[in-house]
Amino acid sequence: MPQSIPEPEFDELYRELILDHYRSPRHNEPLVDADVVAEGYNPLCGDEIELRIDFKNGSVSDLSFGGRGCSISRASGSIMTDLVIGKPVADVRKLSELFNKMMTDPEAEVPEELGDLEALQGVAKFPVRVKCATLAWHTLEDGLKQREEGGHAVRHEE
Amino acid sequence: MTIDTMRLREDFPILKREVHGKPLVYLDNAATTQKPQAVIDALVEYYSSYNANIHRGIHALAEEATGKYEATRQKVADFIGAPDASNIVFTRNTTESINLVAQAWGRKSLSAGGEIVLSTMEHHSNLVPWQILAKEKGLTLRFIDIDDDGQLIAADIERCIGEKTKLVAITHMSNVLGTINPVREIADRAHQHGALILLDGAQSVPHLPVDVQELDCDFLAFSAHKMLGPTGVGVLYARNELLEEMNPFMSGGEMIRRVQLEESTWNDVPWKFEAGTPNIGDVCAFSASLDYLTDLGMENVRAHEIELVQEAVRRLANVPGITIYGPESAAGKGGVVAFNLEDVHPHDLGTVLDHHGVAIRAGHHCAQPLMKRLDVVATGRASFYVYNEPTEFDALIEGIEAAARLFRAPVHTGA
C-alpha cells in the first residue's frame, strides 16, 4: 500500500508567516506608471499575477504585485516584494536562483539571504504546489529580462 | 434510499483505505470513479485466462477474447439504447471520440461558411477539436451562453442554431455546474435546420438513464472510467449511415479490408474506426461495470444522486461565505456541486480537505471559458457516485470550516 510514503507535514506548508502574508499582502497597491509590467499565469490552477517594477540606478527601486492566487502564490509574491525592493538587479537575480534551488530540494540548508522566504521551504515537499511558489519569481525574472531588452509587456506561463 | 450504500461500499476495495490517517471520502467522481472488485477481477481474468489478439487468431484464446470484446460492444449498445452493436466504436476516451468525429466526419463533410454551435459550459475536449477544425476549414463557432442559474439561455439556443448550422456539439451534463441540458429540444431544433447533434455524455451516461434514440442524437461520446470501468476505454455512438459515410480516423491494421501497395479499402463499421490492436483487456473489464450499473438500475443511480446533491447543497449553504455555482434545483442538476469559500483559494481548500481525507477537485475543471463566464479563477468541486453517502459530508464540512479558520484573518472584536 502506498501509505508507507512519508507524509509531508501540513504545518510545514501553511506556516504562520505565509498565512500572515496571505491575509495581509504587502505592496499590493499597483504602482502607477511603472517602468515594467510583467504578467504571470499558471494554467494549471488559473493563478494570475501582475508585477509592476520601477528601476533606479541598476536597482529595483519599487515593486508591486497583484492578481488572483492561492495562499502560497500570494505569500510568495508578498515576501518577494519585501525582499527585493532596493536591491541591485544582479542581487535580485541571485535571490531568484537561490529560491528556485530551495524549491527543488526540500532538505537543503536555506541560505541566509533568502530571509523570510525560508517559510516557503515546506512547499517543496508538496510537488503540486511548487509552481504556486515559483510563479512570482519567474514572472519577476521575465520583468528583469524585459527591462534589459527594452521590450514591452510579457506574459509568463508556468 | 433505493441503493444500499453500506452494502455496496463493500464491493469497492479502495474505499477501505485511509488518507492522511483519515478514512477516504472520495468526492472526485466527475474526474474518475472507483472500481468495484468485479471490474478488477474481470481485468485479472482476461490477462490470466484468455489474453489474445482479437479478430484474426484462429485459436481458442483469440476466439474467446474476440467473443468477449464484441459482447461488450453489444452490452454498450444495449446500455444506451443504440439500435445495433455496429453503432458503437471503441476509442481511448471521450476526448478521442470527439476528435474522431471532428476528423473523420468534420473534415469530410464541413466546408467554409458552415457553423458549429457549442456552449460556454463545454469541457475543453468539446471545444478545442472544433477550434482546430474551424481554423482549418473556415468555419464559424457560435456559443450558447448560460444564465446566472447555470442554464443554457433558451433565446440563445434559438439565435445560434439556424440555417448555417452544420453541427451542434454540446454537453449533456456540465462537469462543473452539473446542469442537465435540454438536449432533446436542442436536437429537434438542430435537425429542423438540417444540422447534426453531438452529445458529450462523459458526465451524463454514468449518472442518468440515457437512450440515444429517445434523445435523437447523432453522436454520443463517453468514457468507461467515469462509470466504474477501467481507464483507456472511450465510446463513440454514431448513427449507422454517418459511420458509413465517414472517412477512417486512424489507419493501419484491423481497419482495412484489402491492402494493395498503392491503395486500400476499409473494413466494415465499426471496425473501420478501430485501427491497430485495441484495448482488449480494458474493454472486456468494462463489461463488468456495465453489468454492475445495470443491476443497480440507472433510475436508482439518478435517484440516489438527487438525494446526495440535495443534502450536499443544504449542508454547504449553511457554511458562512460559501458560493454555490450552477442550478439551484437538484432535479435539473447531476451529482456535482461547484463552490467557493470566501477568502480561501480552491487549491488551499483542496489541500486542507485532503488532510481531512476528503478528495475533491480544485481548479478550472478543463472549462476555462466557463470560469471566465463565472468570473472566478477556479472553484472547488465535489462530485458523487453510487457509493457516496450523506454521512460523508460531515468530513467535507469539517474540512471547509477548518480552511475558513486557517485562512481568514482573525476577527478583531471591540474598538
Side-chain angles (χ1 to χ4, degrees):
Chain A
M1 294 294 275
Q3 281 105 322
S4 59
I5 298 167
E7 292 206 355
E9 284 300 317
F10 190 58
D11 297 348
E12 284 182 59
L13 182 66
Y14 294 127
R15 302 260 299 268
E16 192 48 48
L17 190 80
I18 292 177
L19 295 171
D20 179 56
H21 276 269
Y22 172 66
R23 294 176 193 133
S24 352
R26 327 294 198 257
H27 307 101
N28 207 215
E29 279 293 310
L31 291 180
V32 184
D33 294 330
D35 294 336
V36 163
V37 178
E39 286 178 17
Y41 179 60
N42 182 349
L44 190 73
C45 52
D47 284 357
E48 302 161 340
I49 187 168
E50 186 195 74
L51 298 180
R52 291 171 168 260
I53 317 164
D54 276 337
F55 296 90
K56 206 174 189 178
N57 303 326
S59 288
V60 172
S61 57
D62 210 351
L63 171 64
S64 71
F65 91 100
R68 303 195 273 191
C70 67
S71 61
I72 304 300
S73 88
R74 234 157 90 171
S76 174
S78 177
I79 299 170
M80 180 181 83
T81 58
D82 268 352
L83 203 64
V84 158
I85 292 171
K87 286 216 168 65
V89 168
D91 292 5
V92 173
R93 284 216 162 94
K94 179 77 186 153
L95 277 174
S96 182
E97 199 182 301
L98 290 173
F99 182 72
N100 281 316
K101 205 173 272 176
M102 180 175 90
M103 283 295 105
T104 52
D105 184 1
E107 304 304 330
E109 184 106 343
V110 180
E112 215 169 288
E113 299 100 293
L114 286 179
D116 283 353
L117 285 172
E118 185 260 334
L120 286 158
Q121 192 190 20
V123 178
K125 291 184 185 170
F126 292 75
V128 294
R129 305 301 296 273
V130 166
K131 283 187 174 182
C132 308
T134 54
L135 179 65
W137 286 92
H138 290 162
T139 307
L140 180 64
E141 281 173 30
D142 278 9
L144 299 181
K145 203 167 153 204
Q146 196 188 136
R147 169 72 171 182
E148 212 169 71
E149 294 169 356
H152 292 289
V154 286
R155 188 171 161 89
H156 168 81
E157 286 203 6
E158 277 297 312
Chain B
M1 277 198 198
T2 40
I3 288 181
D4 181 356
T5 329
M6 291 316 285
R7 192 202 57 74
L8 180 148
R9 288 175 70 86
E10 294 296 313
D11 296 339
F12 292 79
I14 207 169
L15 298 179
K16 294 183 182 78
R17 77 162 276 182
E18 294 193 336
V19 170
H20 301 297
K22 307 273 173 56
L24 168 66
V25 173
Y26 186 77
L27 303 179
D28 195 17
N29 293 286
T32 197
T33 59
Q34 301 303 344
K35 319 305 173 198
Q37 191 62 50
V39 171
I40 301 166
D41 288 347
L43 201 54
V44 172
E45 192 199 344
Y46 167 73
Y47 286 111
S48 45
S49 59
Y50 61 98
N51 171 52
N53 213 330
I54 54 170
H55 292 147
R56 45 200 143 212
I58 44 164
H59 50 79
L61 296 188
E63 265 179 37
E64 275 179 45
T66 304
K68 191 68 193 271
Y69 183 87
E70 291 302 329
T72 307
R73 196 191 302 279
Q74 182 62 54
K75 216 172 260 183
V76 173
D78 295 342
F79 192 79
I80 57 168
D84 194 80
S86 65
N87 296 114
I88 304 301
V89 178
F90 285 120
T91 61
R92 282 187 306 142
N93 47 39
T94 306
T95 300
E96 186 172 289
S97 297
I98 296 172
N99 275 271
L100 193 162
V101 177
Q103 297 296 317
W105 175 80
R107 286 177 92 177
K108 183 177 184 185
S109 306
L110 300 180
S111 52
E115 294 185 353
I116 298 176
V117 175
L118 311 166
S119 83
T120 50
M121 66 166 81
E122 297 311 313
H123 188 283
H124 297 162
S125 63
N126 194 30
L127 171 61
V128 182
W130 307 118
Q131 290 173 341
I132 291 173
L133 187 69
K135 203 160 266 181
E136 182 185 319
K137 307 288 285 188
L139 311 166
T140 303
L141 302 182
R142 304 193 69 177
F143 295 92
I144 302 168
D145 202 0
I146 56 168
D147 61 20
D148 292 339
D149 193 42
Q151 311 274 2
L152 297 176
I153 298 170
D156 245 25
I157 297 175
E158 301 225 338
R159 185 179 60 79
C160 288
I161 304 173
E163 295 314 312
K164 289 183 182 166
T165 309
K166 301 300 170 202
L167 176 74
V168 179
I170 201 151
T171 185
H172 190 180
M173 178 181 141
S174 163
N175 68 312
V176 181
L177 305 169
T179 317
I180 298 168
N181 288 322
V183 288
R184 176 61 205 245
E185 284 81 349
I186 296 171
D188 288 347
R189 183 162 176 93
H191 291 146
Q192 277 161 22
H193 292 278
L196 300 182
I197 182 163
L198 174 146
L199 294 185
D200 173 355
Q203 298 298 334
S204 62
V205 176
H207 301 276
L208 318 170
V210 170
D211 184 305
V212 289
Q213 297 189 72
E214 270 176 33
L215 295 176
D216 202 16
C217 62
D218 302 293
F219 301 104
L220 172 72
F222 59 99
S223 297
H225 74 95
K226 291 188 199 286
M227 49 196 295
L228 310 179
T231 53
V233 177
V235 172
L236 174 68
Y237 156 84
R239 282 198 293 113
N240 202 264
E241 55 271 37
L242 292 168
L243 290 175
E244 291 290 352
E245 71 175 42
M246 280 156 68
N247 280 335
F249 175 43
M250 310 267 238
S251 53
E254 181 80 20
M255 52 76 69
I256 39 76
R257 177 176 304 287
R258 186 184 172 88
V259 177
Q260 293 165 290
L261 283 178
E262 304 296 336
E263 58 177 14
S264 302
T265 54
W266 315 135
N267 200 343
D268 292 335
V269 298
W271 303 285
K272 178 170 104 178
F273 300 101
E274 295 179 6
T277 299
N279 188 350
I280 307 163
D282 288 315
V283 166
C284 292
F286 182 32
S287 179
S289 28
L290 292 166
D291 289 343
Y292 197 95
L293 288 172
T294 303
D295 286 350
L296 284 176
M298 290 308 291
E299 295 287 349
N300 294 329
V301 172
R302 174 66 186 136
H304 177 67
E305 289 185 25
I306 287 178
E307 285 184 36
L308 286 170
V309 86
Q310 271 170 343
E311 180 63 5
V313 168
R314 189 186 70 77
R315 299 276 308 262
L316 284 167
N318 283 334
V319 179
I322 284 273
T323 305
I324 297 173
Y325 306 96
E328 270 189 28
S329 148
K333 187 178 171 80
V336 178
V337 184
F339 61 96
N340 263 327
L341 177 64
E342 197 180 7
D343 297 329
V344 181
H345 190 280
H347 273 202
D348 290 319
L349 182 60
T351 300
V352 176
L353 282 169
D354 181 47
H355 279 257
H356 282 75
V358 181
I360 64 156
R361 175 81 190 266
H364 54 59
H365 319 293
C366 296
Q368 287 179 18
L370 176 61
M371 294 295 107
K372 199 170 174 195
R373 174 66 184 75
L374 298 172
D375 193 27
V376 294
V377 288
T379 76
R381 179 188 71 184
S383 52
F384 318 123
Y385 211 22
V386 292
Y387 36 71
N388 289 121
E389 49 185 359
T391 51
E392 291 181 293
F393 299 148
D394 294 346
L396 173 71
I397 301 295
E398 265 170 40
I400 292 172
E401 286 172 347
R405 284 193 299 274
L406 189 62
F407 292 106
R408 284 194 189 142
V411 180
H412 296 285
T413 50

